[in-house]
Amino acid sequence: MTAISFIVPVYKVEKYLDKCIQSILNQTFRNFELILVDDGSPDNCPAICDKYAEKDKRVKVIHKQNAGVDEARNTGIEVASGEYAYFVDSDDWLELDSAKRLYKYAKKTDADCVMTDCMQIFENGHTVRKYQFSETFFTDKEEDIKNIQKFILCHKYSPHYSDKADAGFAAPWGKFVRLSILKENNIRFNPYSKGVFDDGIYSLYLLDHVKRFYYRREKRHTYNYRIIGSSLTQGFKTDAMDILKRGCELVDKFIEDTGKDEEFIQAEYCRRVAFFSAYLTKYFYSPNNPKSEKETEKEIRETLNKYPFKEAFQKAEISNLENKHKYVLLCGKSGFITGLKFYSTMKQKLKK
């Protein structure tokens, strides 16, 4: 049986794709398949994928019409045949013994989901080492796994809190999972989210079916997470608030489908405050936002007074938030828009 199915969605990454593919094919662990899902990429990516398939029989290439990363990953799940599945983004790469270590940890603990850590790689060469939890642990306790789910929404709910968490916890590439869980429970990525928190929603549903979870904290990371276009001028979308709303709707549906408790809802309120904080810079006060300051202020007030942020700002527990988000919560609750603008301005200055 094939041990691991690597699933790589591919779209407009010809500059990075060779490094990603080679990091997988050169793994010291050899029993795997590599599924490259070309999502209708208009550049040279389709030819690069085909080149590797011709050279290595472990490589499967699927060319499909562009439908977004969620559908590309879903296509990969459908054709995967391994015991475990591991998603890799096509602009990232693995350490050469990552598969060996992940498979060893999964078999040793019989875990349904294994997590290790990543290295963030910025375009300027700066690197940041991330540790999702403060210590190695295994759990088969339902309450622990519920807390891990809540951690996806709000870091303070982590069963082993680490101040170096964040990057990749919700992301599919952060989890080495038993493929049968995805297939038997029809766990897929939801394109309705339009790529914002789709990974978190996937992870929430995944963890609802995980019985045994293992996290390994060690000096050597397994995954290299490349951050592209981190400039404040990148990523502006005129429909950003609609997209955020879609993600909140999907989390609400998950809560309803699975009957989560009030503490879980509280964690989701905290996530919404944190996302609003991020979008002060990415959207409202983005250099690419064509609206005037007066129009922006009006939109902020309107956004804070309707779903999905009104109830979140009214009910989010301030003690569960990071300090920067506490400030945004207080400004938002009091309608202090000047304070929100100051927060965004300072954040932009620090990022430059």
Side-chain angles (χ1 to χ4, degrees), residues 2-17:
T2 301
I4 305 171
S5 294
F6 289 104
I7 300 172
V8 181
V10 178
Y11 186 74
K12 294 177 70 172
V13 285
E14 62 181 359
K15 180 179 178 181
Y16 310 106
L17 186 56

Side-chain angles (χ1 to χ4, degrees), residues 78-93:
E78 294 298 329
V79 303
S81 61
E83 184 180 3
Y84 297 92
Y86 195 54
F87 295 94
V88 180
D89 285 355
S90 52
D91 51 359
D92 298 337
W93 71 96

Side-chain angles (χ1 to χ4, degrees), residues 241-258:
M241 290 301 103
D242 174 66
I243 295 174
L244 276 184
K245 179 182 175 183
R246 286 168 175 253
C248 295
E249 289 172 357
L250 290 175
V251 176
D252 285 345
K253 185 177 186 304
F254 169 79
I255 291 171
E256 182 179 350
D257 288 346
T258 56

Side-chain angles (χ1 to χ4, degrees), residues 189-228:
F189 295 85
N190 195 325
Y192 180 73
S193 64
K194 290 192 174 182
V196 175
F197 205 60
D198 52 335
D199 48 6
I201 294 158
Y202 156 83
S203 295
L204 290 174
Y205 279 101
L206 165 67
L207 288 166
D208 225 47
H209 296 279
V210 164
K211 303 300 181 185
R212 295 172 297 279
F213 179 95
Y214 180 64
Y215 167 74
R216 178 81 173 199
R217 177 172 172 138
E218 51 192 353
K219 291 182 180 179
R220 295 161 57 229
H221 63 285
T222 53
Y223 195 94
N224 295 285
Y225 171 42
R226 190 194 305 271
I227 298 179
I228 301 172

Side-chain angles (χ1 to χ4, degrees), residues 282-325:
K282 289 182 66 175
Y283 173 72
F284 291 111
Y285 293 110
S286 165
N288 288 341
N289 189 343
K291 294 181 179 178
S292 67
E293 186 170 336
K294 185 175 181 180
E295 290 172 324
T296 296
E297 180 177 333
K298 180 183 178 183
E299 185 178 11
I300 290 174
R301 292 189 186 280
E302 290 175 347
T303 301
L304 286 169
N305 280 290
K306 63 184 179 182
Y307 178 89
F309 295 108
K310 181 177 181 179
E311 193 169 18
F313 271 80
Q314 289 174 345
K315 297 183 179 180
E317 258 325 312
I318 194 167
S319 60
N320 288 327
L321 293 166
E322 298 177 51
N323 288 335
K324 59 185 178 180
H325 298 150

Side-chain angles (χ1 to χ4, degrees), residues 276 280 285 293 297 300-301 324 327-332 334-347:
F276 185 88
L280 282 170
Y285 293 110
E293 186 170 336
E297 180 177 333
I300 290 174
R301 292 189 186 280
K324 59 185 178 180
Y327 175 80
V328 170
L329 176 66
L330 293 173
C331 288
S334 63
F336 184 38
I337 307 303
T338 301
L340 296 177
K341 182 182 179 182
F342 172 78
Y343 169 86
S344 178
T345 301
M346 293 305 298
K347 188 175 178 181

Side-chain angles (χ1 to χ4, degrees), residues 153-171:
L153 304 175
C154 178
H155 294 161
K156 290 295 182 70
Y157 287 94
S158 171
H160 301 276
Y161 181 78
S162 168
D163 60 0
K164 294 184 178 180
D166 187 17
F169 185 80

